[in-house]
Amino acid sequence: MTNHWADIKNADLIVIMGGNAAEAHPCGFKYVVEAKAKRGAKLVVVDPRFTRSAAVADYYAPIRSGADIAFLGGVIHYLLSNNKIHHDYVKNYTNAAFLINPEYGFKDGLFTGYDEAKRSYSKATWTYQMDGQYAKVDPTLQDPNCVFQHMKRHFARYTPEKVSSVTGTPKDQFLKICEMIAGTSASNKTMTILYALGWTQHSIGSENIRTMAMIQLLLGNMGMAGGGVNALRGHANVQGITDMCLYSQVLPGYLSAPNQTDTNYALYREKRTPKALRPNQMNFPQNFPKWFNSLMKAWYGDHATKETDYAFDYLPKSDGAYDIMDIFERMHQGKMNGFICSGFNPLAAVANKNKIGAALAKLKYLVVIDPLATETSEFWKNYGEFNDVDTASIQTEVIRLPATCFAEQDGSFTNSGRVIQWHWKAADGPGESKSDQEIIAALFMKLRGMYKAQGGAYSAPLMNLTWNYKNPMFPAADELLREISGKTMVQIKDPTGKVVLEPEDQLTGFAQLRDDGGTACGNWIYSGSWNKQGNMTARRDPSETSDQNLGQSANWGFAWPANRRILYNRASADMSGKPWDEKRAVLKWLGDKWGGNDIPDMRPNAKPEENVMPFIMTQEGVARLFAPGMAEGPFPEHYEPFESPLAANPMHPNNPKVKSNPAARVFKGDMTSFGSPKDYPYVATTYRLVEHFHYWTKHAELNAIVQPEAIVEISEALAKDRGIKSGDKVKVTSARGFVKAKAVVTKRMKGMDVDGQKVYHVGIPIHYGFKGVAKPSQLANTLTPFVGDANSQTPEFKTFLVNIEKV
């Protein structure tokens, strides 16, 4: 979230799209209810189904699954063609005025630089025109090569008629929502967007989110109370695990990890330390050496020094992708010996269950660390039609290590709003279960002992790792958070020369990090979460800390970064430092510094006349309407899902190369596993039920009683066409497998008119499997295709093709 849960109550308009907050986030949804009751806010829901969120909405519109960019692109076209944008905000706080390389272009669904063989782009033309060090701009926004004019031309094709044809959303309903959204372009109105996995789990998922971010920038809603783009994370600590970046491409705090092209530390540091593209900008990532060196100091202590290049050589240098889909592709090719699976049920949670099972069968060993006996831990066992495998042929050794669950250990959760909250152990775990840190510590100490006794190739990274815990076999959660938050090795003084921290003191925040080895910090964005005052995440003071009752509650937990509750909050004020909306003021210029009810996302003494812009994490200082970092293009474009009911991309009917995302990675052999509408004529989508939590609660009797077995939802028209009644057992089949479930025939789903044909949806809740006390079922991911988003590689769970028949 750019904002936070309680801030939702400050919105005038709330749009839920790519999610179902009332059902999937029922506790947080209370702030939507409060906004409606106390502010008179309007709630708009756009979804293939009439969801529980839609049931309490002021306005609902249907949309075909996988067509979100067409809808949102149409909103952008509406805002631009009807002059419903926040002009001062767009001109000053975005890159609308920046001039683009004249060689950049877009034609027939492809941007310049496409390499069909590699399914990727050279971004050489996706650049700014430069004048020495700085990018050129046109403050009038009239130059045909400025971002604003490029954007107008790009989205001119997304007319209401075209949007309706592509999405299935009736034109009048689409225009009604455009009108409601456009109303928040006024300085004293804000809109917030609540999205979840319904946007991310597509082959164009990242661009779904970016298109809405562009809308919020055009409206001037970023940095505002009641504004922002708010991801609703699917688990109490999904945000926390993301922030720690426990995957190979990124180090904690979203620091880019080295790869094989980074042949030495100097080159690695230089490539990741950007230069400002406009005068006077903070260009905050220029601090990369401070963040990285402090991280390595936390990991390697005295072995991370200037002389050792801060232990840079200890880090692995990746030779390619190692996201979860690539890991299972390597496993499927027999290129992996072992897999340690902690708090993860990939047989249920990764696309194409049969491929995942076949991959696991090629391992020598599989270690599962989990409180429950998961499907993954019994992938080898035949459960009849629910998991029909040849057990005798599977030689993988499976080792289960029973773990405690969150309530059986101390630690912290980081919620969707970036608020880190400590939790306390409530009970001991059952039987022989151990906590995560106890299990990992036992493995580490055993491995290090073996290397010490027996030697081994390049053991230094393991042998020299800092492990100074009171009990090395069981590092305490509070020790870990102190290490993550960071400490100083030297005296730290304020600008007046006064000593504020002595060696070994906990850091106050990331502003004190150094690049000379003087500080150690396990994650720069969490710096200050445990400072000299103690554990900031354990604070539980809900008192309002704003004069306008904005729900800031700055003394509840600790929000990263720096306890800042609203990111980019400098953008809540105009160029002179005056709030756009005094009733929702977050920040203002006080004459000598920035102040307000939040921590300034800005250098505190940056005078307005210095023109230090609000988006400090970009080299430009402004937000990017034109974003060259994206894999499939600097502007969003509608591409069909890899399994589409349509013969072609309606935006580019004459170019088959761009039917689906041309930059999405497709592994050899998977292209032929995609189904066609001839065999699988219906669009399936997956989702969650409020009565269940992922794949956990089918193990809990009370949850199993209220939602005991797998269901699929279909419309009355589709049910009639297929001879299905509510309660019938049905078989849903994709090109990869089948799922049997009870049919729920409902008015909540209707057929849609899309590009001259009728399209029907089949809705599939994900929660069921062959382990637990709920009735056994095939896993929903038996049906889903093994392809992902081109940027994050998140699998396309939300749109694929199926057939359905009565059993």
Side-chain angles (χ1 to χ4, degrees), residues 312-378:
F312 172 76
D313 291 339
Y314 286 178
L315 290 179
K317 314 300 185 289
S318 64
D319 58 351
Y322 284 90
D323 55 86
I324 195 62
M325 294 188 72
D326 187 86
I327 286 172
F328 274 97
E329 177 63 22
R330 289 168 190 255
M331 195 187 298
H332 192 256
Q333 292 176 17
K335 296 179 179 179
M336 193 178 299
N337 288 327
F339 187 63
I340 299 178
C341 181
S342 177
F344 182 33
N345 189 6
L347 194 72
V350 179
N352 192 347
K353 176 260 182 187
N354 289 331
K355 180 173 182 176
I356 302 306
L360 292 169
K362 295 178 181 179
L363 293 172
K364 290 181 180 177
Y365 66 90
L366 168 68
V367 180
V368 177
I369 304 171
D370 206 282
L372 301 170
T374 63
E375 280 82 3
T376 300
S377 71
E378 298 192 12

Side-chain angles (χ1 to χ4, degrees), residues 404-410 424-430 433:
T404 53
C405 76
F406 64 91
E408 295 157 354
Q409 57 195 35
D410 292 338
W424 291 266
K425 178 178 176 178
D428 290 329
S433 62

Side-chain angles (χ1 to χ4, degrees), residues 575-617:
M575 289 289 286
S576 69
K578 180 183 177 184
W580 297 113
D581 182 4
E582 284 285 357
K583 293 180 180 178
R584 261 182 291 226
V586 179
L587 214 63
K588 64 176 66 175
W589 179 247
L590 302 177
D592 59 345
K593 63 181 179 181
W594 290 94
N597 52 58
D598 201 3
I599 304 298
D601 203 354
M602 173 56 50
R603 195 177 80 237
N605 63 350
K607 299 175 183 177
E609 55 268 27
E610 293 181 56
N611 291 332
V612 184
M613 295 303 175
F615 292 87
I616 66 172
M617 294 302 290

Side-chain angles (χ1 to χ4, degrees), residues 404-440:
T404 53
C405 76
F406 64 91
E408 295 157 354
Q409 57 195 35
D410 292 338
S412 69
F413 283 146
T414 306
N415 74 9
S416 301
R418 298 168 288 102
V419 179
I420 312 163
Q421 300 173 96
W422 194 255
H423 63 80
W424 291 266
K425 178 178 176 178
D428 290 329
E432 297 178 57
S433 62
K434 297 181 184 296
S435 72
D436 291 332
Q437 62 261 46
E438 195 175 2
I439 293 171
I440 298 300

Side-chain angles (χ1 to χ4, degrees), residues 238-260:
V238 165
Q239 189 64 56
I241 194 70
T242 310
D243 299 338
M244 294 302 154
C245 303
L246 297 184
Y247 49 102
S248 64
Q249 272 93 345
V250 192
L251 301 172
Y254 307 98
L255 305 181
S256 173
N259 57 52
Q260 286 192 334

Side-chain angles (χ1 to χ4, degrees), residues 499-760:
V499 175
V500 292
L501 292 179
E502 295 287 355
E504 299 299 314
D505 279 350
Q506 289 293 122
L507 295 168
T508 307
F510 59 72
Q512 294 168 334
L513 295 178
R514 300 163 64 122
D515 62 4
D516 61 0
T519 52
C521 177
N523 190 329
W524 74 274
I525 59 176
Y526 277 52
S527 187
S529 58
W530 193 307
N531 59 27
K532 283 178 72 173
Q533 282 74 50
N535 186 353
M536 295 292 100
T537 74
R539 296 182 302 170
R540 288 297 182 272
D541 180 358
S543 302
E544 175 65 64
T545 50
S546 72
D547 295 333
Q548 305 95 326
N549 193 31
L550 298 178
Q552 293 287 54
S553 301
N555 297 314
W556 181 284
F558 181 90
W560 72 258
N563 203 33
R564 185 174 297 120
R565 304 289 159 147
I566 297 178
L567 299 181
Y568 317 118
N569 54 32
R570 164 65 183 92
S572 68
D574 65 16
M575 289 289 286
S576 69
K578 180 183 177 184
W580 297 113
D581 182 4
E582 284 285 357
K583 293 180 180 178
R584 261 182 291 226
V586 179
L587 214 63
K588 64 176 66 175
W589 179 247
L590 302 177
D592 59 345
K593 63 181 179 181
W594 290 94
N597 52 58
D598 201 3
I599 304 298
D601 203 354
M602 173 56 50
R603 195 177 80 237
N605 63 350
K607 299 175 183 177
E609 55 268 27
E610 293 181 56
N611 291 332
V612 184
M613 295 303 175
F615 292 87
I616 66 172
M617 294 302 290
T618 69
Q619 297 165 262
E620 300 93 326
V622 295
R624 293 172 181 154
L625 297 168
F626 179 93
M630 302 299 285
E632 58 276 277
F635 288 125
E637 178 67 8
H638 169 76
Y639 298 111
E640 286 292 306
F642 273 83
E643 293 192 343
S644 166
L646 307 183
N649 182 343
M651 299 300 296
H652 309 284
N654 299 318
N655 187 358
K657 296 177 183 177
V658 297
K659 180 181 179 183
S660 302
N661 187 342
R665 181 187 63 196
V666 182
F667 292 108
K668 186 178 180 180
D670 285 326
M671 193 67 86
T672 57
S673 74
F674 297 136
S676 72
K678 176 174 150 294
D679 301 314
Y680 306 101
Y682 311 117
V683 176
T685 189
T686 61
Y687 49 89
R688 287 151 175 76
L689 306 172
V690 72
E691 294 87 354
H692 277 295
F693 184 80
H694 300 300
Y695 307 99
W696 284 23
T697 53
K698 59 186 171 63
H699 293 262
E701 190 174 10
L702 289 177
N703 300 76
I705 288 170
V706 292
Q707 282 286 8
E709 63 184 316
I711 59 171
V712 297
E713 288 192 84
I714 58 173
S715 68
E716 292 175 334
L718 178 57
K720 183 179 180 181
D721 184 60
R722 302 297 290 161
I724 296 168
K725 300 190 298 293
S726 258
D728 283 348
K729 194 73 172 281
V730 295
K731 183 178 182 180
V732 180
T733 309
S734 78
R736 291 153 297 277
F738 69 89
V739 167
K740 291 181 180 179
K742 285 278 182 75
V744 176
V745 180
T746 175
K747 290 181 167 65
R748 291 188 293 270
M749 302 170 77
K750 297 191 185 313
M752 294 179 171
D753 296 312
V754 177
D755 200 32
Q757 66 186 71
K758 188 69 79 173
V759 170
Y760 293 102

